[in-house]
Amino acid sequence: MEQEKSTDQQDFITFQDITFAYPPVDEEEEVAVKPIFHHFTATLPGGFVSLVGPNASGKSTFMLLAAGRLLPQQGKIFLLGKDTSQLTEEARDVLASFIYQNMEFDTEEPVAQLLQQVYQQGTFEGNRQSIHGQAKDLLKEITEVLELDELNEKPLRTLSKGQMQRVILAFSLLYGSKSIFMDEPLFALENAHKHKILGYIKDYCHQLGITVYISMHELELSRMYPDNVLLFYPNRDMDFGSPDEILTPQALEKAYGVPAAMLKDAESLTRKNLKEQYENQSV
């Protein structure tokens, strides 16, 4: 996926010869840490993009770097033309919001109050018409789509995992950053919620021109909703294109190391578990 840095304003994110490695767990041990990315260069467009690939293939690190939550040890990253290493926290948040895996909040404030605060403090400044053209406010629309009305008076810390995920998704949509990076935001939701929310996110992206990069375990959801897919291989190679172009049996077998037929409803398994399952069936 090596490309030269482009000056096209349509380019969403550019990685320019970056190298990134996490520090060793035990800083007293002088152990060489293998970089997650090594002299990596790529330019990718915006839109609604799903990140697909086995565990530990670099999806989360890619998004953290792209969103300016991590900085590379070498090279530069440009988000919407801005060098992420030069951004203030406020400027970074305007360019990109981030939903981490398993986010939790320990606060007694009720959901409705927090939603209103995020809406007013974000780029919409508490005043945005719904994206479906109805005579209602965006906050009301998102509350209805994510089925949050029944949670309005509940303290945030008392919510179940699935309820918390829906509220966090609402925070990201109401803040109005120019892009949103979502790391497994649907893991605790029921299937009906997943389909409803992904359909809305797609409309949100297209109507407001806001880019969403989302990692998901379910391959079928990545086939149905995103405009494009970014497929990660264990060696950090990547393929980018439409779901039909990228999610082929050959590419999936290369990425996961097992026959593509075994991946249906099982993408959350690690490559090791999938291989063990395959070997057991072959005995």
Side-chain angles (χ1 to χ4, degrees), residues 130-267:
S130 65
I131 65 170
H132 289 149
Q134 302 164 341
K136 66 175 67 171
D137 187 79
L138 184 65
L139 173 57
K140 180 174 178 57
E141 180 177 67
I142 288 175
T143 299
E144 291 177 357
V145 170
L146 299 182
E147 301 179 22
L148 303 179
D149 284 318
E150 64 183 22
L151 308 178
N152 276 338
E153 303 307 317
K154 292 186 177 182
L156 191 61
R157 70 172 185 82
T158 66
L159 302 185
S160 69
K161 180 63 70 174
Q163 292 170 339
M164 180 74 77
Q165 288 302 114
R166 283 186 278 137
V167 172
I168 292 170
L169 281 162
F171 287 161
S172 68
L173 298 173
L174 287 169
Y175 190 82
S177 300
K178 293 182 178 180
S179 63
I180 308 172
F181 293 85
M182 301 180 173
D183 195 0
E184 302 293 351
L186 308 177
F187 75 95
L189 303 184
E190 297 178 358
N191 282 336
H193 281 143
K194 292 178 182 180
H195 286 280
K196 186 176 183 180
I197 290 169
L198 286 171
Y200 184 79
I201 290 175
K202 185 167 188 172
D203 290 344
Y204 179 94
C205 289
H206 293 171
Q207 293 295 322
L208 301 182
I210 290 174
T211 285
V212 172
Y213 271 54
I214 179 172
S215 64
M216 297 187 289
H217 282 316
E218 297 92 340
L219 290 170
E220 287 309 305
L221 295 179
S222 291
R223 296 182 194 277
M224 293 176 65
Y225 293 99
D227 303 317
N228 288 298
V229 170
L230 182 60
L231 177 60
F232 287 67
Y233 298 99
N235 65 353
R236 305 294 188 257
D237 283 347
M238 302 175 198
D239 283 331
F240 182 91
S242 72
D244 288 343
E245 292 171 332
I246 300 303
L247 299 180
T248 64
Q250 295 81 6
L252 292 173
E253 289 182 14
K254 177 183 174 183
Y256 290 90
V258 296
M262 294 181 58
L263 293 172
K264 184 175 177 58
D265 300 324
E267 200 219 349

Side-chain angles (χ1 to χ4, degrees), residues 54-55 234 254-258 269-276:
N55 293 342
K254 177 183 174 183
Y256 290 90
V258 296
L269 296 175
T270 64
R271 295 178 73 246
K272 178 180 178 181
N273 288 339
L274 284 168
K275 283 184 177 179
E276 290 175 350

Side-chain angles (χ1 to χ4, degrees), residues 27-133:
E27 296 183 358
E28 295 182 359
E29 295 183 9
E30 295 185 3
V31 179
V33 179
K34 184 178 180 180
I36 305 297
F37 295 103
H38 186 61
H39 295 296
F40 175 66
T41 295
T43 297
L44 294 166
F48 188 17
V49 179
S50 175
L51 280 67
V52 173
N55 293 342
S57 58
K59 300 188 299 293
S60 296
T61 304
F62 175 94
M63 289 197 292
L64 288 165
L65 288 164
R69 270 54 181 185
L70 292 175
L71 297 177
Q73 283 91 22
Q74 176 184 313
K76 291 184 178 295
I77 298 172
F78 296 89
L79 177 63
L80 290 166
K82 304 293 184 181
D83 183 345
T84 58
S85 68
Q86 302 301 311
L87 295 173
T88 63
E89 183 176 344
E90 181 179 2
R92 181 201 67 189
D93 290 345
V94 169
L95 288 181
S97 296
F98 200 100
I99 296 181
Y100 296 86
Q101 290 188 36
N102 294 315
M103 291 179 73
E104 294 184 359
F105 297 88
D106 187 15
T107 175
E108 293 291 337
E109 292 184 85
V111 169
Q113 181 178 328
L114 291 168
L115 291 172
Q116 187 65 49
Q117 288 176 1
V118 170
Y119 189 33
Q120 290 178 336
Q121 293 169 6
T123 64
F124 295 139
E125 298 180 342
N127 183 25
R128 173 78 206 191
Q129 186 178 355
S130 65
I131 65 170
H132 289 149

